[in-house]
Amino acid sequence: MKDAPAKHGTRARGSIALLRSLAREPLLHFVLAGFALFIGGEVIRSRNEVHHIVVTQQREAHLASRYQLQFGARPDAPTLARLVERDVEEEMLFRQGLALGLDRDDEIVRRRIVQKMRFLLEDLSAPREPSDAELNAYYQAHAEKYAAPTRITFSHLYFSRDAGDHDARERAAQALGLLSSGKAQVSDLGDPFPDRYHFSGYEAEQVYRLFGRTEFSSATLSAPLDRWLGPYQSVYGWHLVRVDARTEAQHLELVTVRDRVRTDYLLDAQARTNAAALETLAGEFTVVRERS
């Protein structure tokens, strides 16, 4: 037990001797000096880069082009000089703001950077023009998108629920009887409607937007032509309807909708390449979620 302090003292003296020996080693001095110079150089280089602004010819051309798009003519020399001066001022303020950390915790700045990164990904992975075979294959796979929709021309009579739902339905049924027997004119029946009474060439989706996905809308798509029918309920109340014409959905050839197919093909291709680029980027990150 008494030997333990002696052993510790011996180790301490050995460590001190080793440190003194290393301190006299020229190679260690050289390594430490080199490391210090490297760190100092990196700090100076970083600071110099932040405060070193180069106005390139490409940047001047970009400023001139942006001015021309806005005002319809290229800037003269004094105007371009002012544009460059203002651009340099903005760049100085921007860099100083970054140095001060003003971009941190700023939702607007964050959204803008995210938006620019999305644009950058799109620029780097823009899809190529499709071949005729690729367009045709895409068209065949999505043919339902390129059909001419069903169109309906119809008239209706409206019966308000102001006095109750049952009353509105009964008045509609009575009006249908009068019309069927020829004892009344259309203009003498029904209540005022907030929109029109006659609809020409409407697509099914337009009918749904106006009257909801109701039995009245379904009747316009399936009822026999040229006769008053009902009553049918909508989001407004009760109606009688007369369908004057109905053009069923028609298949459209590729040559007719080629531009639409090309646009949709490129949009879908862009979406796929964007997703792949994001997946590749995500592979470079580790996401850890803290648990409460």
Side-chain angles (χ1 to χ4, degrees), residues 222-253:
S222 59
L225 303 182
D226 301 325
R227 51 187 289 201
W228 285 101
L229 296 168
Y232 300 112
Q233 190 175 25
S234 80
V235 294
Y236 299 100
W238 291 87
H239 306 256
L240 301 181
V241 66
R242 177 188 174 96
V243 180
D244 301 310
R246 186 185 299 114
T247 303
E248 300 298 337
Q250 296 179 348
H251 175 77
L252 297 177
E253 297 297 332

PDB file of all heavy atoms in Angstrom, residues 222-253:
ATOM      1  N   SER A 222     -78.785  11.410 -67.797  1.00  0.00           N
ATOM      2  CA  SER A 222     -79.402  10.134 -68.180  1.00  0.00           C
ATOM      3  C   SER A 222     -80.854  10.232 -68.611  1.00  0.00           C
ATOM      4  O   SER A 222     -81.380   9.280 -69.199  1.00  0.00           O
ATOM      5  CB  SER A 222     -79.302   9.154 -67.000  1.00  0.00           C
ATOM      6  OG  SER A 222     -79.968   9.690 -65.855  1.00  0.00           O
ATOM      7  N   ALA A 223     -81.526  11.344 -68.339  1.00  0.00           N
ATOM      8  CA  ALA A 223     -82.960  11.431 -68.639  1.00  0.00           C
ATOM      9  C   ALA A 223     -83.215  11.425 -70.143  1.00  0.00           C
ATOM     10  O   ALA A 223     -82.392  11.922 -70.920  1.00  0.00           O
ATOM     11  CB  ALA A 223     -83.531  12.706 -68.020  1.00  0.00           C
ATOM     12  N   PRO A 224     -84.339  10.884 -70.593  1.00  0.00           N
ATOM     13  CA  PRO A 224     -84.710  10.940 -72.020  1.00  0.00           C
ATOM     14  C   PRO A 224     -84.831  12.392 -72.490  1.00  0.00           C
ATOM     15  O   PRO A 224     -85.076  13.306 -71.697  1.00  0.00           O
ATOM     16  CB  PRO A 224     -86.071  10.232 -72.059  1.00  0.00           C
ATOM     17  CG  PRO A 224     -86.101   9.394 -70.820  1.00  0.00           C
ATOM     18  CD  PRO A 224     -85.319  10.143 -69.794  1.00  0.00           C
ATOM     19  N   LEU A 225     -84.656  12.592 -73.785  1.00  0.00           N
ATOM     20  CA  LEU A 225     -84.674  13.943 -74.343  1.00  0.00           C
ATOM     21  C   LEU A 225     -86.098  14.431 -74.596  1.00  0.00           C
ATOM     22  O   LEU A 225     -87.040  13.665 -74.733  1.00  0.00           O
ATOM     23  CB  LEU A 225     -83.885  13.974 -75.655  1.00  0.00           C
ATOM     24  CG  LEU A 225     -82.428  13.508 -75.613  1.00  0.00           C
ATOM     25  CD1 LEU A 225     -81.800  13.662 -77.002  1.00  0.00           C
ATOM     26  CD2 LEU A 225     -81.620  14.268 -74.574  1.00  0.00           C
ATOM     27  N   ASP A 226     -86.215  15.763 -74.637  1.00  0.00           N
ATOM     28  CA  ASP A 226     -87.406  16.464 -75.142  1.00  0.00           C
ATOM     29  C   ASP A 226     -88.661  16.215 -74.339  1.00  0.00           C
ATOM     30  O   ASP A 226     -89.769  16.204 -74.889  1.00  0.00           O
ATOM     31  CB  ASP A 226     -87.644  16.098 -76.617  1.00  0.00           C
ATOM     32  CG  ASP A 226     -86.462  16.465 -77.495  1.00  0.00           C
ATOM     33  OD1 ASP A 226     -85.816  17.489 -77.210  1.00  0.00           O
ATOM     34  OD2 ASP A 226     -86.172  15.718 -78.444  1.00  0.00           O
ATOM     35  N   ARG A 227     -88.549  16.041 -73.044  1.00  0.00           N
ATOM     36  CA  ARG A 227     -89.744  15.932 -72.196  1.00  0.00           C
ATOM     37  C   ARG A 227     -89.411  16.385 -70.787  1.00  0.00           C
ATOM     38  O   ARG A 227     -88.291  16.202 -70.309  1.00  0.00           O
ATOM     39  CB  ARG A 227     -90.297  14.504 -72.193  1.00  0.00           C
ATOM     40  CG  ARG A 227     -89.276  13.449 -71.884  1.00  0.00           C
ATOM     41  CD  ARG A 227     -89.808  12.044 -72.065  1.00  0.00           C
ATOM     42  NE  ARG A 227     -90.770  11.696 -71.033  1.00  0.00           N
ATOM     43  CZ  ARG A 227     -91.077  10.434 -70.723  1.00  0.00           C
ATOM     44  NH1 ARG A 227     -90.543   9.425 -71.393  1.00  0.00           N
ATOM     45  NH2 ARG A 227     -91.948  10.202 -69.772  1.00  0.00           N
ATOM     46  N   TRP A 228     -90.395  16.999 -70.141  1.00  0.00           N
ATOM     47  CA  TRP A 228     -90.217  17.446 -68.767  1.00  0.00           C
ATOM     48  C   TRP A 228     -90.320  16.246 -67.842  1.00  0.00           C
ATOM     49  O   TRP A 228     -91.238  15.427 -67.956  1.00  0.00           O
ATOM     50  CB  TRP A 228     -91.265  18.488 -68.402  1.00  0.00           C
ATOM     51  CG  TRP A 228     -90.981  19.828 -69.004  1.00  0.00           C
ATOM     52  CD1 TRP A 228     -91.567  20.372 -70.105  1.00  0.00           C
ATOM     53  CD2 TRP A 228     -90.038  20.788 -68.530  1.00  0.00           C
ATOM     54  NE1 TRP A 228     -91.051  21.597 -70.383  1.00  0.00           N
ATOM     55  CE2 TRP A 228     -90.102  21.891 -69.425  1.00  0.00           C
ATOM     56  CE3 TRP A 228     -89.144  20.836 -67.477  1.00  0.00           C
ATOM     57  CZ2 TRP A 228     -89.314  23.021 -69.273  1.00  0.00           C
ATOM     58  CZ3 TRP A 228     -88.353  21.951 -67.319  1.00  0.00           C
ATOM     59  CH2 TRP A 228     -88.438  23.028 -68.213  1.00  0.00           C
ATOM     60  N   LEU A 229     -89.364  16.157 -66.902  1.00  0.00           N
ATOM     61  CA  LEU A 229     -89.308  15.031 -65.967  1.00  0.00           C
ATOM     62  C   LEU A 229     -88.989  15.549 -64.568  1.00  0.00           C
ATOM     63  O   LEU A 229     -88.436  16.629 -64.398  1.00  0.00           O
ATOM     64  CB  LEU A 229     -88.241  14.028 -66.405  1.00  0.00           C
ATOM     65  CG  LEU A 229     -88.465  13.329 -67.754  1.00  0.00           C
ATOM     66  CD1 LEU A 229     -87.210  12.596 -68.178  1.00  0.00           C
ATOM     67  CD2 LEU A 229     -89.649  12.387 -67.680  1.00  0.00           C
ATOM     68  N   GLY A 230     -89.308  14.757 -63.571  1.00  0.00           N
ATOM     69  CA  GLY A 230     -89.017  15.124 -62.200  1.00  0.00           C
ATOM     70  C   GLY A 230     -90.096  14.645 -61.247  1.00  0.00           C
ATOM     71  O   GLY A 230     -90.934  13.824 -61.623  1.00  0.00           O
ATOM     72  N   PRO A 231     -90.154  15.193 -60.059  1.00  0.00           N
ATOM     73  CA  PRO A 231     -89.206  16.169 -59.479  1.00  0.00           C
ATOM     74  C   PRO A 231     -87.866  15.522 -59.115  1.00  0.00           C
ATOM     75  O   PRO A 231     -87.815  14.384 -58.708  1.00  0.00           O
ATOM     76  CB  PRO A 231     -89.916  16.671 -58.234  1.00  0.00           C
ATOM     77  CG  PRO A 231     -91.319  16.156 -58.312  1.00  0.00           C
ATOM     78  CD  PRO A 231     -91.272  14.929 -59.143  1.00  0.00           C
ATOM     79  N   TYR A 232     -86.796  16.332 -59.233  1.00  0.00           N
ATOM     80  CA  TYR A 232     -85.451  15.912 -58.832  1.00  0.00           C
ATOM     81  C   TYR A 232     -84.898  16.923 -57.836  1.00  0.00           C
ATOM     82  O   TYR A 232     -85.045  18.125 -58.010  1.00  0.00           O
ATOM     83  CB  TYR A 232     -84.526  15.837 -60.039  1.00  0.00           C
ATOM     84  CG  TYR A 232     -84.971  14.854 -61.098  1.00  0.00           C
ATOM     85  CD1 TYR A 232     -85.411  15.310 -62.335  1.00  0.00           C
ATOM     86  CD2 TYR A 232     -84.940  13.482 -60.864  1.00  0.00           C
ATOM     87  CE1 TYR A 232     -85.810  14.411 -63.326  1.00  0.00           C
ATOM     88  CE2 TYR A 232     -85.331  12.581 -61.846  1.00  0.00           C
ATOM     89  CZ  TYR A 232     -85.765  13.054 -63.067  1.00  0.00           C
ATOM     90  OH  TYR A 232     -86.170  12.163 -64.040  1.00  0.00           O
ATOM     91  N   GLN A 233     -84.216  16.396 -56.831  1.00  0.00           N
ATOM     92  CA  GLN A 233     -83.682  17.262 -55.774  1.00  0.00           C
ATOM     93  C   GLN A 233     -82.255  17.688 -56.102  1.00  0.00           C
ATOM     94  O   GLN A 233     -81.458  16.928 -56.635  1.00  0.00           O
ATOM     95  CB  GLN A 233     -83.708  16.527 -54.434  1.00  0.00           C
ATOM     96  CG  GLN A 233     -83.414  17.401 -53.225  1.00  0.00           C
ATOM     97  CD  GLN A 233     -83.587  16.635 -51.925  1.00  0.00           C
ATOM     98  OE1 GLN A 233     -83.477  15.411 -51.905  1.00  0.00           O
ATOM     99  NE2 GLN A 233     -83.840  17.342 -50.855  1.00  0.00           N
ATOM    100  N   SER A 234     -81.932  18.952 -55.760  1.00  0.00           N
ATOM    101  CA  SER A 234     -80.567  19.460 -55.865  1.00  0.00           C
ATOM    102  C   SER A 234     -80.192  20.110 -54.541  1.00  0.00           C
ATOM    103  O   SER A 234     -80.949  20.067 -53.575  1.00  0.00           O
ATOM    104  CB  SER A 234     -80.453  20.485 -57.005  1.00  0.00           C
ATOM    105  OG  SER A 234     -80.935  21.752 -56.595  1.00  0.00           O
ATOM    106  N   VAL A 235     -79.048  20.767 -54.506  1.00  0.00           N
ATOM    107  CA  VAL A 235     -78.635  21.460 -53.283  1.00  0.00           C
ATOM    108  C   VAL A 235     -79.511  22.682 -53.016  1.00  0.00           C
ATOM    109  O   VAL A 235     -79.506  23.219 -51.907  1.00  0.00           O
ATOM    110  CB  VAL A 235     -77.155  21.891 -53.371  1.00  0.00           C
ATOM    111  CG1 VAL A 235     -76.244  20.678 -53.404  1.00  0.00           C
ATOM    112  CG2 VAL A 235     -76.910  22.770 -54.595  1.00  0.00           C
ATOM    113  N   TYR A 236     -80.256  23.140 -54.014  1.00  0.00           N
ATOM    114  CA  TYR A 236     -81.095  24.330 -53.849  1.00  0.00           C
ATOM    115  C   TYR A 236     -82.516  23.988 -53.414  1.00  0.00           C
ATOM    116  O   TYR A 236     -83.127  24.720 -52.646  1.00  0.00           O
ATOM    117  CB  TYR A 236     -81.185  25.105 -55.171  1.00  0.00           C
ATOM    118  CG  TYR A 236     -79.864  25.593 -55.683  1.00  0.00           C
ATOM    119  CD1 TYR A 236     -79.195  24.913 -56.694  1.00  0.00           C
ATOM    120  CD2 TYR A 236     -79.263  26.735 -55.163  1.00  0.00           C
ATOM    121  CE1 TYR A 236     -77.977  25.352 -57.179  1.00  0.00           C
ATOM    122  CE2 TYR A 236     -78.044  27.187 -55.641  1.00  0.00           C
ATOM    123  CZ  TYR A 236     -77.404  26.483 -56.648  1.00  0.00           C
ATOM    124  OH  TYR A 236     -76.200  26.929 -57.126  1.00  0.00           O
ATOM    125  N   GLY A 237     -83.053  22.919 -53.956  1.00  0.00           N
ATOM    126  CA  GLY A 237     -84.454  22.583 -53.715  1.00  0.00           C
ATOM    127  C   GLY A 237     -84.875  21.483 -54.675  1.00  0.00           C
ATOM    128  O   GLY A 237     -84.124  20.528 -54.909  1.00  0.00           O
ATOM    129  N   TRP A 238     -86.077  21.673 -55.289  1.00  0.00           N
ATOM    130  CA  TRP A 238     -86.597  20.667 -56.209  1.00  0.00           C
ATOM    131  C   TRP A 238     -86.734  21.262 -57.604  1.00  0.00           C
ATOM    132  O   TRP A 238     -86.947  22.465 -57.758  1.00  0.00           O
ATOM    133  CB  TRP A 238     -87.948  20.133 -55.721  1.00  0.00           C
ATOM    134  CG  TRP A 238     -87.788  19.298 -54.474  1.00  0.00           C
ATOM    135  CD1 TRP A 238     -87.774  19.733 -53.187  1.00  0.00           C
ATOM    136  CD2 TRP A 238     -87.599  17.891 -54.427  1.00  0.00           C
ATOM    137  NE1 TRP A 238     -87.585  18.699 -52.319  1.00  0.00           N
ATOM    138  CE2 TRP A 238     -87.479  17.532 -53.060  1.00  0.00           C
ATOM    139  CE3 TRP A 238     -87.519  16.874 -55.392  1.00  0.00           C
ATOM    140  CZ2 TRP A 238     -87.289  16.222 -52.645  1.00  0.00           C
ATOM    141  CZ3 TRP A 238     -87.348  15.565 -54.970  1.00  0.00           C
ATOM    142  CH2 TRP A 238     -87.225  15.250 -53.612  1.00  0.00           C
ATOM    143  N   HIS A 239     -86.599  20.391 -58.600  1.00  0.00           N
ATOM    144  CA  HIS A 239     -86.586  20.861 -59.992  1.00  0.00           C
ATOM    145  C   HIS A 239     -87.367  19.908 -60.888  1.00  0.00           C
ATOM    146  O   HIS A 239     -87.463  18.702 -60.614  1.00  0.00           O
ATOM    147  CB  HIS A 239     -85.156  20.918 -60.552  1.00  0.00           C
ATOM    148  CG  HIS A 239     -84.203  21.708 -59.734  1.00  0.00           C
ATOM    149  ND1 HIS A 239     -83.785  22.979 -60.096  1.00  0.00           N
ATOM    150  CD2 HIS A 239     -83.558  21.407 -58.576  1.00  0.00           C
ATOM    151  CE1 HIS A 239     -82.911  23.420 -59.202  1.00  0.00           C
ATOM    152  NE2 HIS A 239     -82.759  22.482 -58.271  1.00  0.00           N
ATOM    153  N   LEU A 240     -87.848  20.455 -61.970  1.00  0.00           N
ATOM    154  CA  LEU A 240     -88.218  19.689 -63.154  1.00  0.00           C
ATOM    155  C   LEU A 240     -87.150  19.969 -64.196  1.00  0.00           C
ATOM    156  O   LEU A 240     -86.600  21.070 -64.251  1.00  0.00           O
ATOM    157  CB  LEU A 240     -89.589  20.113 -63.684  1.00  0.00           C
ATOM    158  CG  LEU A 240     -90.767  19.982 -62.723  1.00  0.00           C
ATOM    159  CD1 LEU A 240     -92.048  20.427 -63.419  1.00  0.00           C
ATOM    160  CD2 LEU A 240     -90.906  18.553 -62.191  1.00  0.00           C
ATOM    161  N   VAL A 241     -86.849  19.001 -65.028  1.00  0.00           N
ATOM    162  CA  VAL A 241     -85.796  19.184 -66.018  1.00  0.00           C
ATOM    163  C   VAL A 241     -86.250  18.685 -67.387  1.00  0.00           C
ATOM    164  O   VAL A 241     -86.989  17.708 -67.489  1.00  0.00           O
ATOM    165  CB  VAL A 241     -84.492  18.469 -65.593  1.00  0.00           C
ATOM    166  CG1 VAL A 241     -84.664  16.955 -65.570  1.00  0.00           C
ATOM    167  CG2 VAL A 241     -83.333  18.841 -66.517  1.00  0.00           C
ATOM    168  N   ARG A 242     -85.787  19.386 -68.412  1.00  0.00           N
ATOM    169  CA  ARG A 242     -86.010  18.971 -69.797  1.00  0.00           C
ATOM    170  C   ARG A 242     -84.654  18.997 -70.498  1.00  0.00           C
ATOM    171  O   ARG A 242     -84.053  20.069 -70.663  1.00  0.00           O
ATOM    172  CB  ARG A 242     -86.984  19.920 -70.503  1.00  0.00           C
ATOM    173  CG  ARG A 242     -87.212  19.588 -71.987  1.00  0.00           C
ATOM    174  CD  ARG A 242     -88.015  20.675 -72.666  1.00  0.00           C
ATOM    175  NE  ARG A 242     -88.104  20.440 -74.097  1.00  0.00           N
ATOM    176  CZ  ARG A 242     -89.132  19.831 -74.694  1.00  0.00           C
ATOM    177  NH1 ARG A 242     -90.171  19.422 -73.979  1.00  0.00           N
ATOM    178  NH2 ARG A 242     -89.135  19.662 -76.001  1.00  0.00           N
ATOM    179  N   VAL A 243     -84.174  17.830 -70.899  1.00  0.00           N
ATOM    180  CA  VAL A 243     -82.893  17.726 -71.589  1.00  0.00           C
ATOM    181  C   VAL A 243     -83.140  17.847 -73.086  1.00  0.00           C
ATOM    182  O   VAL A 243     -83.848  17.028 -73.672  1.00  0.00           O
ATOM    183  CB  VAL A 243     -82.185  16.395 -71.257  1.00  0.00           C
ATOM    184  CG1 VAL A 243     -80.843  16.318 -71.983  1.00  0.00           C
ATOM    185  CG2 VAL A 243     -81.984  16.243 -69.755  1.00  0.00           C
ATOM    186  N   ASP A 244     -82.588  18.884 -73.681  1.00  0.00           N
ATOM    187  CA  ASP A 244     -82.814  19.136 -75.111  1.00  0.00           C
ATOM    188  C   ASP A 244     -81.787  18.441 -75.987  1.00  0.00           C
ATOM    189  O   ASP A 244     -82.091  18.069 -77.136  1.00  0.00           O
ATOM    190  CB  ASP A 244     -82.772  20.648 -75.374  1.00  0.00           C
ATOM    191  CG  ASP A 244     -83.826  21.384 -74.564  1.00  0.00           C
ATOM    192  OD1 ASP A 244     -84.989  20.963 -74.597  1.00  0.00           O
ATOM    193  OD2 ASP A 244     -83.470  22.357 -73.883  1.00  0.00           O
ATOM    194  N   ALA A 245     -80.561  18.267 -75.501  1.00  0.00           N
ATOM    195  CA  ALA A 245     -79.522  17.619 -76.290  1.00  0.00           C
ATOM    196  C   ALA A 245     -78.448  17.079 -75.359  1.00  0.00           C
ATOM    197  O   ALA A 245     -78.187  17.637 -74.292  1.00  0.00           O
ATOM    198  CB  ALA A 245     -78.916  18.596 -77.292  1.00  0.00           C
ATOM    199  N   ARG A 246     -77.831  15.981 -75.778  1.00  0.00           N
ATOM    200  CA  ARG A 246     -76.734  15.397 -74.998  1.00  0.00           C
ATOM    201  C   ARG A 246     -75.734  14.790 -75.966  1.00  0.00           C
ATOM    202  O   ARG A 246     -76.085  13.912 -76.770  1.00  0.00           O
ATOM    203  CB  ARG A 246     -77.255  14.343 -74.041  1.00  0.00           C
ATOM    204  CG  ARG A 246     -76.183  13.794 -73.109  1.00  0.00           C
ATOM    205  CD  ARG A 246     -76.684  12.644 -72.239  1.00  0.00           C
ATOM    206  NE  ARG A 246     -77.777  13.043 -71.383  1.00  0.00           N
ATOM    207  CZ  ARG A 246     -79.018  12.572 -71.495  1.00  0.00           C
ATOM    208  NH1 ARG A 246     -79.323  11.710 -72.450  1.00  0.00           N
ATOM    209  NH2 ARG A 246     -79.959  12.973 -70.666  1.00  0.00           N
ATOM    210  N   THR A 247     -74.514  15.260 -75.933  1.00  0.00           N
ATOM    211  CA  THR A 247     -73.439  14.719 -76.757  1.00  0.00           C
ATOM    212  C   THR A 247     -72.555  13.872 -75.868  1.00  0.00           C
ATOM    213  O   THR A 247     -71.941  14.384 -74.928  1.00  0.00           O
ATOM    214  CB  THR A 247     -72.602  15.843 -77.392  1.00  0.00           C
ATOM    215  OG1 THR A 247     -73.460  16.690 -78.153  1.00  0.00           O
ATOM    216  CG2 THR A 247     -71.529  15.279 -78.288  1.00  0.00           C
ATOM    217  N   GLU A 248     -72.500  12.590 -76.138  1.00  0.00           N
ATOM    218  CA  GLU A 248     -71.735  11.684 -75.290  1.00  0.00           C
ATOM    219  C   GLU A 248     -70.234  11.916 -75.464  1.00  0.00           C
ATOM    220  O   GLU A 248     -69.777  12.490 -76.463  1.00  0.00           O
ATOM    221  CB  GLU A 248     -72.079  10.226 -75.627  1.00  0.00           C
ATOM    222  CG  GLU A 248     -73.543   9.874 -75.423  1.00  0.00           C
ATOM    223  CD  GLU A 248     -74.005  10.026 -73.985  1.00  0.00           C
ATOM    224  OE1 GLU A 248     -73.146   9.983 -73.075  1.00  0.00           O
ATOM    225  OE2 GLU A 248     -75.219  10.221 -73.770  1.00  0.00           O
ATOM    226  N   ALA A 249     -69.470  11.455 -74.481  1.00  0.00           N
ATOM    227  CA  ALA A 249     -68.008  11.582 -74.540  1.00  0.00           C
ATOM    228  C   ALA A 249     -67.471  10.907 -75.802  1.00  0.00           C
ATOM    229  O   ALA A 249     -67.951   9.841 -76.198  1.00  0.00           O
ATOM    230  CB  ALA A 249     -67.382  10.958 -73.295  1.00  0.00           C
ATOM    231  N   GLN A 250     -66.489  11.555 -76.413  1.00  0.00           N
ATOM    232  CA  GLN A 250     -65.945  11.050 -77.669  1.00  0.00           C
ATOM    233  C   GLN A 250     -64.436  10.861 -77.567  1.00  0.00           C
ATOM    234  O   GLN A 250     -63.732  11.678 -76.973  1.00  0.00           O
ATOM    235  CB  GLN A 250     -66.251  12.027 -78.818  1.00  0.00           C
ATOM    236  CG  GLN A 250     -67.731  12.184 -79.103  1.00  0.00           C
ATOM    237  CD  GLN A 250     -67.978  13.179 -80.224  1.00  0.00           C
ATOM    238  OE1 GLN A 250     -67.061  13.906 -80.623  1.00  0.00           O
ATOM    239  NE2 GLN A 250     -69.200  13.209 -80.726  1.00  0.00           N
ATOM    240  N   HIS A 251     -63.968   9.775 -78.160  1.00  0.00           N
ATOM    241  CA  HIS A 251     -62.533   9.505 -78.214  1.00  0.00           C
ATOM    242  C   HIS A 251     -61.863  10.490 -79.166  1.00  0.00           C
ATOM    243  O   HIS A 251     -62.352  10.745 -80.264  1.00  0.00           O
ATOM    244  CB  HIS A 251     -62.306   8.072 -78.702  1.00  0.00           C
ATOM    245  CG  HIS A 251     -60.874   7.725 -78.905  1.00  0.00           C
ATOM    246  ND1 HIS A 251     -60.021   7.447 -77.854  1.00  0.00           N
ATOM    247  CD2 HIS A 251     -60.132   7.625 -80.037  1.00  0.00           C
ATOM    248  CE1 HIS A 251     -58.822   7.177 -78.333  1.00  0.00           C
ATOM    249  NE2 HIS A 251     -58.855   7.273 -79.651  1.00  0.00           N
ATOM    250  N   LEU A 252     -60.740  11.066 -78.732  1.00  0.00           N
ATOM    251  CA  LEU A 252     -59.981  11.998 -79.565  1.00  0.00           C
ATOM    252  C   LEU A 252     -58.674  11.359 -79.993  1.00  0.00           C
ATOM    253  O   LEU A 252     -57.958  10.777 -79.181  1.00  0.00           O
ATOM    254  CB  LEU A 252     -59.694  13.299 -78.804  1.00  0.00           C
ATOM    255  CG  LEU A 252     -60.915  14.127 -78.388  1.00  0.00           C
ATOM    256  CD1 LEU A 252     -60.475  15.327 -77.583  1.00  0.00           C
ATOM    257  CD2 LEU A 252     -61.707  14.567 -79.615  1.00  0.00           C
ATOM    258  N   GLU A 253     -58.349  11.460 -81.264  1.00  0.00           N
ATOM    259  CA  GLU A 253     -57.112  10.889 -81.772  1.00  0.00           C
ATOM    260  C   GLU A 253     -55.900  11.680 -81.254  1.00  0.00           C
ATOM    261  O   GLU A 253     -55.999  12.867 -80.940  1.00  0.00           O
ATOM    262  CB  GLU A 253     -57.126  10.900 -83.297  1.00  0.00           C
ATOM    263  CG  GLU A 253     -58.214  10.044 -83.920  1.00  0.00           C
ATOM    264  CD  GLU A 253     -58.051   8.560 -83.591  1.00  0.00           C
ATOM    265  OE1 GLU A 253     -56.893   8.123 -83.370  1.00  0.00           O
ATOM    266  OE2 GLU A 253     -59.070   7.848 -83.535  1.00  0.00           O
TER     267      GLU A 253
END
